[in-house]
Amino acid sequence: MTADAVERLLADVCGTLARAGFDVASAGDEGSPGLRVRRETNSVLLGWVPGSGLDPAGREDADFESIHAALGSAVLAILAQAGHAVQVDRESGEVRVRLLA
């Protein structure tokens, strides 16, 4: 996949998620919560940083794992419907997105 193709994929993924109502931040935007999107050589990776209201360190009643699982399921479904190949990285929990061949 060329660098231009990865850049178009990144723009499409960010646009698709924004239209679905998600707050999308760049991977370098350390200060704000939301989905973190970054490009790799042949794919785009998505991670999630909770806002202070959902941070389990700040709330005893926050169930981070359930929230993270629900968010991951929603992101997977939305991106698959948009025509992307999606896969969850088991170690990091990030979602890897590729164009369907």
Coordinates of all heavy atoms in Angstrom, one line a residue:
M1 N 0.9 -1.2 0.0 CA 0.0 0.0 0.0 C 0.9 1.2 0.0 O 1.8 1.3 0.8 CB -0.9 0.0 1.2 CG -1.9 1.1 1.3 SD -2.9 1.1 2.8 CE -4.1 -0.2 2.4
T2 N 0.6 2.2 -0.9 CA 1.4 3.4 -0.9 C 1.1 4.3 0.2 O 0.1 4.2 0.9 CB 1.1 4.1 -2.3 OG1 -0.2 4.6 -2.2 CG2 1.3 3.2 -3.5
A3 N 2.0 5.3 0.4 CA 1.8 6.3 1.5 C 0.5 7.1 1.2 O -0.2 7.4 2.1 CB 3.0 7.2 1.6
D4 N 0.2 7.4 -0.1 CA -1.0 8.1 -0.4 C -2.2 7.3 -0.1 O -3.2 7.8 0.4 CB -1.0 8.5 -1.9 CG -0.1 9.6 -2.2 OD1 0.3 10.4 -1.3 OD2 0.2 9.8 -3.4
A5 N -2.2 6.0 -0.3 CA -3.3 5.1 0.0 C -3.6 5.1 1.5 O -4.7 5.1 1.9 CB -3.1 3.7 -0.6
V6 N -2.5 5.0 2.3 CA -2.6 5.0 3.7 C -3.2 6.3 4.2 O -4.1 6.4 5.1 CB -1.3 4.7 4.4 CG1 -1.4 4.8 5.9 CG2 -0.8 3.3 4.1
E7 N -2.8 7.4 3.6 CA -3.3 8.7 4.0 C -4.8 8.8 3.6 O -5.6 9.4 4.4 CB -2.5 9.8 3.2 CG -2.7 11.2 3.8 CD -2.2 11.3 5.3 OE1 -1.2 10.7 5.6 OE2 -2.9 12.0 6.0
R8 N -5.2 8.3 2.5 CA -6.6 8.3 2.1 C -7.4 7.4 3.1 O -8.5 7.8 3.5 CB -6.8 7.9 0.7 CG -6.5 8.9 -0.3 CD -6.9 8.6 -1.7 NE -6.4 7.3 -2.2 CZ -5.2 7.1 -2.8 NH1 -4.4 8.1 -3.0 NH2 -4.8 5.9 -3.2
L9 N -6.9 6.3 3.4 CA -7.5 5.4 4.4 C -7.7 6.1 5.7 O -8.8 6.0 6.4 CB -6.7 4.1 4.6 CG -7.2 3.1 5.6 CD1 -8.6 2.6 5.3 CD2 -6.2 2.0 5.8
L10 N -6.7 6.8 6.2 CA -6.7 7.5 7.5 C -7.8 8.6 7.4 O -8.7 8.7 8.3 CB -5.4 8.2 7.8 CG -5.3 9.0 9.0 CD1 -5.4 8.2 10.3 CD2 -4.1 9.9 9.0
A11 N -7.9 9.3 6.3 CA -8.9 10.3 6.2 C -10.3 9.7 6.1 O -11.3 10.2 6.8 CB -8.7 11.2 4.9
D12 N -10.5 8.6 5.5 CA -11.8 7.9 5.4 C -12.2 7.4 6.7 O -13.3 7.5 7.1 CB -11.7 6.8 4.3 CG -13.1 6.2 4.1 OD1 -14.0 6.9 3.9 OD2 -13.2 5.0 4.3
V13 N -11.3 6.7 7.4 CA -11.6 6.2 8.8 C -12.0 7.3 9.7 O -13.0 7.2 10.4 CB -10.4 5.4 9.3 CG1 -10.5 5.1 10.8 CG2 -10.2 4.1 8.6
C14 N -11.2 8.4 9.7 CA -11.6 9.5 10.6 C -12.9 10.1 10.2 O -13.7 10.4 11.1 CB -10.5 10.6 10.6 SG -8.9 10.1 11.4
G15 N -13.2 10.3 9.0 CA -14.4 10.9 8.5 C -15.6 10.0 8.8 O -16.7 10.5 9.3
T16 N -15.4 8.7 8.6 CA -16.5 7.7 8.9 C -16.9 7.7 10.4 O -18.0 7.8 10.7 CB -16.1 6.3 8.5 OG1 -15.9 6.3 7.0 CG2 -17.1 5.3 8.8
L17 N -15.8 7.7 11.2 CA -16.1 7.7 12.7 C -16.7 9.0 13.1 O -17.6 9.1 14.0 CB -14.8 7.4 13.4 CG -14.3 5.9 13.2 CD1 -13.0 5.7 13.8 CD2 -15.3 4.9 13.8
A18 N -16.2 10.2 12.6 CA -16.8 11.5 13.0 C -18.3 11.5 12.6 O -19.1 12.0 13.4 CB -16.0 12.6 12.3
R19 N -18.6 11.1 11.4 CA -20.0 11.1 11.0 C -20.9 10.2 11.8 O -22.1 10.4 12.0 CB -20.1 10.6 9.5 CG -19.7 11.7 8.5 CD -19.9 11.4 7.1 NE -19.3 10.1 6.6 CZ -18.1 10.0 6.2 NH1 -17.3 11.1 6.2 NH2 -17.6 8.9 5.8
A20 N -20.3 9.2 12.4 CA -21.0 8.3 13.3 C -21.1 8.8 14.7 O -21.7 8.2 15.6 CB -20.3 6.9 13.4
G21 N -20.5 10.0 15.0 CA -20.6 10.7 16.3 C -19.4 10.5 17.2 O -19.5 10.9 18.4
F22 N -18.3 9.9 16.8 CA -17.2 9.7 17.6 C -16.3 10.9 17.6 O -16.1 11.6 16.6 CB -16.4 8.5 17.2 CG -17.0 7.2 17.5 CD1 -17.8 6.5 16.5 CD2 -16.9 6.6 18.7 CE1 -18.4 5.3 16.8 CE2 -17.5 5.4 19.0 CZ -18.3 4.8 18.0
D23 N -15.6 11.2 18.7 CA -14.6 12.2 18.8 C -13.3 11.6 18.4 O -12.9 10.6 19.0 CB -14.4 12.8 20.2 CG -15.6 13.6 20.7 OD1 -16.2 14.3 19.8 OD2 -16.0 13.6 21.8
V24 N -12.7 12.1 17.3 CA -11.5 11.5 16.8 C -10.3 12.4 17.0 O -10.4 13.6 16.7 CB -11.6 11.2 15.3 CG1 -10.3 10.5 14.8 CG2 -12.8 10.2 15.1
A25 N -9.2 12.0 17.7 CA -8.1 12.8 17.9 C -6.9 12.1 17.3 O -6.9 10.9 17.0 CB -7.8 12.9 19.4
S26 N -5.9 12.9 16.9 CA -4.7 12.3 16.4 C -3.9 11.6 17.5 O -4.0 11.9 18.6 CB -3.8 13.4 15.7 OG -3.2 14.2 16.7
A27 N -3.0 10.7 17.0 CA -2.2 9.9 18.0 C -1.3 10.9 18.8 O -1.0 10.6 19.9 CB -1.4 8.9 17.3
G28 N -1.0 12.0 18.3 CA -0.1 12.9 19.0 C -0.8 13.9 19.9 O -0.1 14.6 20.6
D29 N -2.1 13.8 19.9 CA -2.9 14.8 20.7 C -3.1 14.1 22.1 O -4.1 13.6 22.5 CB -4.2 15.0 20.1 CG -5.0 16.2 20.8 OD1 -4.4 16.8 21.7 OD2 -6.1 16.4 20.3
E30 N -2.0 14.3 22.9 CA -2.0 13.6 24.2 C -3.0 14.1 25.2 O -3.4 13.4 26.1 CB -0.6 13.7 24.9 CG 0.5 13.2 24.0 CD 0.7 11.7 24.1 OE1 0.4 11.2 25.2 OE2 1.1 11.1 23.1
G31 N -3.4 15.4 25.1 CA -4.2 16.0 26.1 C -5.7 15.8 26.1 O -6.4 15.9 27.1
S32 N -6.2 15.3 25.0 CA -7.7 15.2 24.9 C -8.1 13.7 24.8 O -7.4 12.9 24.2 CB -8.2 16.0 23.7 OG -7.7 15.5 22.5
P33 N -9.3 13.4 25.3 CA -9.8 12.1 25.2 C -10.4 11.8 23.9 O -10.6 12.7 23.0 CB -10.9 12.1 26.3 CG -11.4 13.5 26.4 CD -10.1 14.3 26.1
G34 N -10.7 10.6 23.6 CA -11.3 10.2 22.4 C -10.5 9.0 21.7 O -9.6 8.4 22.3
L35 N -10.9 8.8 20.5 CA -10.2 7.8 19.7 C -8.9 8.3 19.2 O -8.8 9.4 18.7 CB -11.1 7.3 18.5 CG -12.3 6.6 18.8 CD1 -13.2 6.4 17.5 CD2 -12.0 5.2 19.4
R36 N -7.9 7.5 19.3 CA -6.5 7.9 18.8 C -6.3 7.2 17.5 O -6.4 5.9 17.5 CB -5.5 7.5 19.8 CG -5.5 8.2 21.1 CD -4.9 9.6 20.9 NE -4.8 10.3 22.2 CZ -5.7 11.1 22.7 NH1 -6.8 11.3 22.0 NH2 -5.6 11.7 23.9
V37 N -6.1 7.9 16.5 CA -5.9 7.3 15.1 C -4.5 7.6 14.7 O -4.1 8.7 14.7 CB -7.0 7.9 14.2 CG1 -6.9 7.2 12.8 CG2 -8.4 7.7 14.7
R38 N -3.8 6.6 14.2 CA -2.5 6.8 13.7 C -2.3 5.8 12.5 O -2.9 4.8 12.4 CB -1.4 6.6 14.7 CG -1.2 5.2 15.2 CD -0.1 5.1 16.2 NE 0.4 3.8 16.5 CZ -0.2 2.9 17.3 NH1 -1.2 3.3 18.0 NH2 0.3 1.7 17.5
R39 N -1.4 6.3 11.6 CA -1.1 5.5 10.4 C 0.1 4.6 10.6 O 1.0 5.0 11.4 CB -0.9 6.4 9.2 CG 0.3 7.3 9.2 CD 0.4 8.2 8.0 NE -0.5 9.3 8.0 CZ -0.4 10.4 8.8 NH1 0.5 10.4 9.7 NH2 -1.2 11.4 8.7
E40 N 0.1 3.5 10.0 CA 1.2 2.6 10.0 C 1.5 2.4 8.5 O 0.9 3.0 7.6 CB 0.8 1.2 10.6 CG 0.5 1.4 12.1 CD 1.4 0.6 13.0 OE1 1.7 -0.5 12.6 OE2 1.8 1.1 14.0
T41 N 2.5 1.5 8.2 CA 2.9 1.3 6.8 C 1.8 0.9 5.9 O 1.6 1.4 4.8 CB 4.1 0.3 6.8 OG1 5.1 0.8 7.6 CG2 4.6 0.2 5.3
N42 N 1.0 -0.1 6.3 CA -0.1 -0.7 5.5 C -1.5 -0.6 6.1 O -2.3 -1.4 5.7 CB 0.3 -2.1 5.1 CG 1.5 -2.2 4.2 OD1 1.6 -1.4 3.2 ND2 2.4 -3.0 4.5
S43 N -1.6 0.2 7.2 CA -2.9 0.2 7.9 C -3.0 1.4 8.7 O -2.1 2.2 8.8 CB -3.0 -1.1 8.7 OG -2.0 -1.1 9.7
V44 N -4.2 1.5 9.4 CA -4.5 2.6 10.3 C -4.8 1.9 11.6 O -5.5 0.9 11.7 CB -5.6 3.4 9.8 CG1 -6.1 4.4 10.9 CG2 -5.3 4.2 8.6
L45 N -4.3 2.4 12.8 CA -4.6 1.8 14.1 C -5.4 2.8 14.9 O -5.2 4.0 14.9 CB -3.3 1.5 14.8 CG -2.5 0.3 14.4 CD1 -1.2 0.2 15.2 CD2 -3.3 -0.9 14.6
L46 N -6.4 2.3 15.6 CA -7.2 3.0 16.5 C -7.1 2.6 17.9 O -7.2 1.4 18.2 CB -8.7 2.9 16.1 CG -9.1 3.4 14.7 CD1 -9.8 2.4 13.9 CD2 -9.9 4.7 14.9
G47 N -6.9 3.5 18.8 CA -6.9 3.2 20.3 C -7.9 4.2 20.9 O -8.5 5.0 20.2
W48 N -8.1 4.0 22.2 CA -9.1 4.9 22.9 C -8.5 5.4 24.2 O -8.0 4.6 25.0 CB -10.4 4.2 23.1 CG -11.4 4.9 23.8 CD1 -12.0 6.1 23.4 CD2 -12.1 4.6 25.0 NE1 -12.9 6.5 24.4 CE2 -13.0 5.6 25.4 CE3 -12.0 3.5 25.9 CZ2 -13.8 5.6 26.5 CZ3 -12.8 3.5 27.0 CH2 -13.7 4.5 27.3
V49 N -8.7 6.7 24.5 CA -8.3 7.2 25.8 C -9.6 7.8 26.4 O -10.2 8.7 25.8 CB -7.3 8.4 25.6 CG1 -7.0 9.0 26.9 CG2 -6.0 7.8 25.0
P50 N -10.0 7.3 27.5 CA -11.3 7.8 28.1 C -11.1 9.2 28.7 O -10.1 9.6 29.0 CB -11.5 6.8 29.3 CG -10.2 6.3 29.7 CD -9.4 6.3 28.4
G51 N -12.3 9.9 28.6 CA -12.3 11.3 29.3 C -12.3 11.1 30.8 O -12.4 10.0 31.3
S52 N -12.0 12.2 31.5 CA -11.9 12.1 32.9 C -13.1 11.6 33.6 O -13.1 10.9 34.6 CB -11.6 13.5 33.5 OG -12.6 14.4 33.2
G53 N -14.3 11.7 33.0 CA -15.5 11.2 33.6 C -15.6 9.7 33.5 O -16.4 9.1 34.3
L54 N -14.9 9.1 32.6 CA -14.9 7.6 32.5 C -13.6 7.0 32.9 O -13.5 5.8 32.9 CB -15.2 7.2 31.0 CG -16.5 7.7 30.5 CD1 -16.6 7.3 29.0 CD2 -17.7 7.0 31.3
D55 N -12.7 7.8 33.3 CA -11.4 7.2 33.8 C -11.6 6.4 35.1 O -12.0 6.9 36.1 CB -10.4 8.3 34.0 CG -9.0 7.8 34.3 OD1 -8.8 6.6 34.5 OD2 -8.1 8.7 34.3
P56 N -11.3 5.1 35.0 CA -11.5 4.3 36.2 C -10.7 4.7 37.4 O -11.0 4.5 38.5 CB -11.1 2.9 35.7 CG -10.3 3.1 34.5 CD -10.7 4.4 33.9
A57 N -9.6 5.4 37.2 CA -8.8 5.9 38.3 C -9.5 7.0 39.0 O -9.3 7.2 40.2 CB -7.4 6.4 37.8
G58 N -10.4 7.7 38.3 CA -11.1 8.8 38.9 C -12.5 8.5 39.4 O -13.1 9.3 40.1
R59 N -13.0 7.3 39.1 CA -14.3 6.9 39.5 C -14.3 5.4 39.9 O -13.9 4.6 39.2 CB -15.3 7.1 38.4 CG -15.6 8.5 38.0 CD -16.6 8.6 36.9 NE -17.8 7.8 37.2 CZ -18.8 7.6 36.4 NH1 -18.7 8.2 35.2 NH2 -19.8 6.8 36.7
E60 N -14.8 5.2 41.1 CA -14.9 3.8 41.5 C -16.0 3.0 40.8 O -15.9 1.8 40.7 CB -15.2 3.7 43.0 CG -14.0 4.2 43.9 CD -14.3 4.2 45.4 OE1 -15.2 3.4 45.8 OE2 -13.7 4.9 46.1
D61 N -17.0 3.7 40.3 CA -18.1 3.0 39.6 C -17.9 2.8 38.1 O -18.7 2.2 37.5 CB -19.4 3.7 39.9 CG -19.4 5.1 39.3 OD1 -18.4 5.7 39.1 OD2 -20.5 5.6 39.0
A62 N -16.8 3.3 37.6 CA -16.5 3.1 36.1 C -16.0 1.7 35.8 O -15.2 1.2 36.5 CB -15.5 4.2 35.7
D63 N -16.7 1.2 34.8 CA -16.3 -0.2 34.4 C -15.6 0.0 33.0 O -16.2 -0.2 32.0 CB -17.5 -1.1 34.3 CG -17.2 -2.5 33.9 OD1 -16.0 -2.8 33.7 OD2 -18.2 -3.3 33.8
F64 N -14.3 0.3 33.1 CA -13.5 0.6 31.9 C -13.6 -0.6 30.9 O -13.7 -0.3 29.7 CB -12.1 0.9 32.3 CG -11.2 1.2 31.1 CD1 -11.3 2.4 30.5 CD2 -10.3 0.3 30.7 CE1 -10.5 2.7 29.4 CE2 -9.4 0.6 29.6 CZ -9.6 1.8 29.0
E65 N -13.4 -1.8 31.3 CA -13.4 -2.9 30.4 C -14.7 -3.1 29.6 O -14.6 -3.3 28.4 CB -13.0 -4.2 31.1 CG -11.6 -4.2 31.7 CD -10.5 -4.0 30.7 OE1 -10.6 -4.5 29.5 OE2 -9.6 -3.2 31.0
S66 N -15.8 -2.9 30.3 CA -17.1 -3.0 29.6 C -17.3 -1.9 28.6 O -17.7 -2.1 27.4 CB -18.3 -3.0 30.5 OG -18.2 -4.2 31.3
I67 N -16.9 -0.7 29.0 CA -17.0 0.5 28.1 C -16.0 0.3 26.9 O -16.4 0.5 25.7 CB -16.6 1.8 28.8 CG1 -17.6 2.1 29.9 CG2 -16.5 3.0 27.9 CD1 -17.2 3.2 30.9
H68 N -14.8 -0.1 27.1 CA -13.9 -0.4 26.1 C -14.4 -1.5 25.1 O -14.3 -1.3 23.9 CB -12.5 -0.8 26.7 CG -11.4 -0.8 25.7 ND1 -11.0 -1.9 25.0 CD2 -10.7 0.3 25.2 CE1 -10.0 -1.6 24.2 NE2 -9.8 -0.3 24.3
A69 N -15.0 -2.5 25.6 CA -15.5 -3.6 24.8 C -16.6 -3.1 23.9 O -16.7 -3.4 22.7 CB -15.9 -4.8 25.6
A70 N -17.5 -2.3 24.5 CA -18.7 -1.8 23.7 C -18.2 -0.8 22.7 O -18.7 -0.9 21.5 CB -19.6 -1.1 24.7
L71 N -17.3 0.0 23.0 CA -16.7 1.0 22.0 C -16.0 0.2 20.9 O -16.2 0.5 19.7 CB -15.7 1.9 22.7 CG -15.0 2.9 21.7 CD1 -16.0 3.9 21.2 CD2 -13.8 3.5 22.4
G72 N -15.2 -0.8 21.2 CA -14.6 -1.6 20.2 C -15.6 -2.3 19.3 O -15.4 -2.3 18.0
S73 N -16.6 -2.8 19.8 CA -17.6 -3.5 19.0 C -18.3 -2.5 18.0 O -18.5 -2.8 16.9 CB -18.7 -4.1 19.9 OG -18.2 -5.2 20.6
A74 N -18.6 -1.3 18.5 CA -19.2 -0.3 17.7 C -18.3 0.1 16.6 O -18.7 0.2 15.4 CB -19.6 0.9 18.5
V75 N -17.0 0.4 16.9 CA -16.0 0.8 15.9 C -15.9 -0.3 14.8 O -15.8 0.0 13.6 CB -14.7 1.2 16.6 CG1 -13.6 1.3 15.6 CG2 -14.9 2.5 17.4
L76 N -15.7 -1.5 15.3 CA -15.6 -2.6 14.3 C -16.8 -2.7 13.4 O -16.6 -2.8 12.2 CB -15.4 -4.0 15.1 CG -14.1 -4.2 15.8 CD1 -14.2 -5.4 16.7 CD2 -13.0 -4.3 14.8
A77 N -18.0 -2.6 13.9 CA -19.2 -2.7 13.1 C -19.3 -1.5 12.1 O -19.5 -1.7 10.9 CB -20.4 -2.8 13.9
I78 N -19.0 -0.3 12.5 CA -19.1 0.8 11.7 C -18.1 0.8 10.5 O -18.4 1.0 9.4 CB -18.9 2.1 12.5 CG1 -20.1 2.3 13.4 CG2 -18.7 3.3 11.6 CD1 -19.9 3.4 14.5
L79 N -16.9 0.4 10.9 CA -15.8 0.4 9.8 C -16.0 -0.8 8.9 O -15.7 -0.7 7.7 CB -14.4 0.4 10.5 CG -14.1 1.7 11.2 CD1 -12.8 1.6 12.0 CD2 -14.0 2.9 10.3
A80 N -16.5 -1.9 9.4 CA -16.8 -3.0 8.5 C -17.9 -2.7 7.5 O -17.8 -3.0 6.3 CB -17.1 -4.3 9.3
Q81 N -18.9 -2.0 8.0 CA -20.0 -1.6 7.2 C -19.5 -0.6 6.1 O -20.1 -0.5 5.0 CB -21.1 -0.9 8.0 CG -21.9 -1.9 8.8 CD -22.9 -2.7 7.9 OE1 -23.4 -2.2 7.0 NE2 -23.1 -3.9 8.3
A82 N -18.5 0.2 6.4 CA -18.0 1.1 5.5 C -17.0 0.5 4.5 O -16.5 1.2 3.6 CB -17.2 2.3 6.2
G83 N -16.8 -0.8 4.6 CA -16.0 -1.5 3.6 C -14.6 -1.7 3.9 O -13.7 -2.0 3.1
H84 N -14.2 -1.7 5.2 CA -12.9 -1.9 5.6 C -12.7 -3.2 6.3 O -13.6 -3.8 6.9 CB -12.5 -0.8 6.6 CG -12.5 0.6 6.1 ND1 -11.6 1.0 5.1 CD2 -13.3 1.6 6.4 CE1 -11.9 2.3 4.8 NE2 -12.9 2.7 5.5
A85 N -11.5 -3.8 6.2 CA -11.1 -5.0 6.9 C -10.6 -4.5 8.3 O -9.8 -3.7 8.4 CB -10.0 -5.7 6.2
V86 N -11.3 -5.0 9.3 CA -10.9 -4.6 10.7 C -10.5 -5.8 11.5 O -11.1 -6.9 11.3 CB -12.1 -3.8 11.4 CG1 -12.2 -2.5 10.7 CG2 -13.3 -4.6 11.3
Q87 N -9.6 -5.6 12.5 CA -9.1 -6.7 13.3 C -8.7 -6.0 14.6 O -8.0 -5.0 14.6 CB -8.0 -7.4 12.6 CG -7.4 -8.5 13.4 CD -6.2 -9.2 12.6 OE1 -5.7 -8.6 11.7 NE2 -5.9 -10.4 13.0
V88 N -9.0 -6.7 15.7 CA -8.5 -6.2 17.0 C -7.2 -6.9 17.4 O -7.0 -8.1 17.3 CB -9.5 -6.5 18.2 CG1 -9.0 -6.1 19.5 CG2 -10.9 -5.9 17.9
D89 N -6.2 -6.0 17.7 CA -4.9 -6.5 18.2 C -5.1 -7.0 19.6 O -5.4 -6.2 20.5 CB -3.9 -5.4 18.1 CG -2.5 -5.9 18.5 OD1 -2.3 -6.0 19.8 OD2 -1.7 -6.2 17.7
R90 N -4.9 -8.3 19.9 CA -5.2 -8.8 21.2 C -4.3 -8.2 22.3 O -4.7 -8.1 23.5 CB -5.0 -10.3 21.2 CG -6.1 -10.9 20.3 CD -6.5 -12.3 20.8 NE -7.3 -13.0 19.8 CZ -8.6 -12.9 19.9 NH1 -9.2 -12.2 20.8 NH2 -9.4 -13.5 19.0
E91 N -3.0 -7.9 22.0 CA -2.1 -7.4 23.0 C -2.5 -6.0 23.4 O -2.5 -5.7 24.6 CB -0.7 -7.5 22.5 CG -0.1 -8.9 22.6 CD 1.4 -8.9 22.2 OE1 2.1 -7.9 22.5 OE2 1.8 -9.8 21.6
S92 N -2.6 -5.1 22.4 CA -2.8 -3.7 22.7 C -4.3 -3.3 22.8 O -4.6 -2.3 23.4 CB -2.2 -2.8 21.6 OG -2.9 -3.0 20.4
G93 N -5.2 -4.1 22.3 CA -6.6 -3.7 22.2 C -7.0 -2.8 21.2 O -8.1 -2.4 21.0
E94 N -6.0 -2.4 20.4 CA -6.2 -1.4 19.3 C -6.9 -2.1 18.1 O -6.8 -3.3 17.9 CB -4.9 -0.8 18.8 CG -4.3 0.1 19.8 CD -3.0 0.7 19.3 OE1 -2.1 -0.1 18.9 OE2 -2.8 1.9 19.4
V95 N -7.6 -1.3 17.3 CA -8.2 -1.9 16.1 C -7.4 -1.5 14.9 O -7.0 -0.3 14.7 CB -9.7 -1.2 16.0 CG1 -10.3 -1.7 14.7 CG2 -10.5 -1.6 17.1
R96 N -7.0 -2.5 14.1 CA -6.3 -2.3 12.9 C -7.2 -2.3 11.7 O -8.1 -3.1 11.6 CB -5.3 -3.4 12.7 CG -4.4 -3.3 11.5 CD -3.3 -4.3 11.4 NE -2.4 -4.3 12.6 CZ -1.4 -3.5 12.8 NH1 -1.1 -2.6 11.9 NH2 -0.7 -3.6 13.9
V97 N -7.1 -1.3 10.9 CA -8.0 -1.1 9.7 C -7.2 -1.2 8.4 O -6.2 -0.5 8.3 CB -8.7 0.3 9.8 CG1 -9.7 0.4 8.7 CG2 -9.4 0.5 11.2
R98 N -7.7 -1.9 7.5 CA -7.1 -2.0 6.2 C -8.2 -1.9 5.1 O -9.4 -2.2 5.4 CB -6.4 -3.4 6.0 CG -5.2 -3.6 6.9 CD -4.5 -4.9 6.5 NE -3.2 -5.0 7.2 CZ -3.0 -5.7 8.3 NH1 -4.0 -6.4 8.8 NH2 -1.9 -5.8 8.9
L99 N -7.8 -1.6 3.9 CA -8.8 -1.6 2.8 C -9.0 -3.0 2.4 O -8.1 -3.9 2.4 CB -8.2 -0.8 1.6 CG -8.2 0.7 1.7 CD1 -7.5 1.3 0.5 CD2 -9.6 1.3 1.9
L100 N -10.3 -3.3 2.1 CA -10.5 -4.7 1.5 C -9.9 -4.8 0.1 O -10.0 -3.8 -0.6 CB -12.0 -4.9 1.5 CG -12.7 -5.1 2.8 CD1 -14.2 -5.3 2.6 CD2 -12.2 -6.4 3.5
A101 N -9.3 -5.9 -0.1 CA -8.6 -6.0 -1.5 C -9.6 -6.3 -2.6 O -10.7 -6.6 -2.4 CB -7.6 -7.2 -1.4

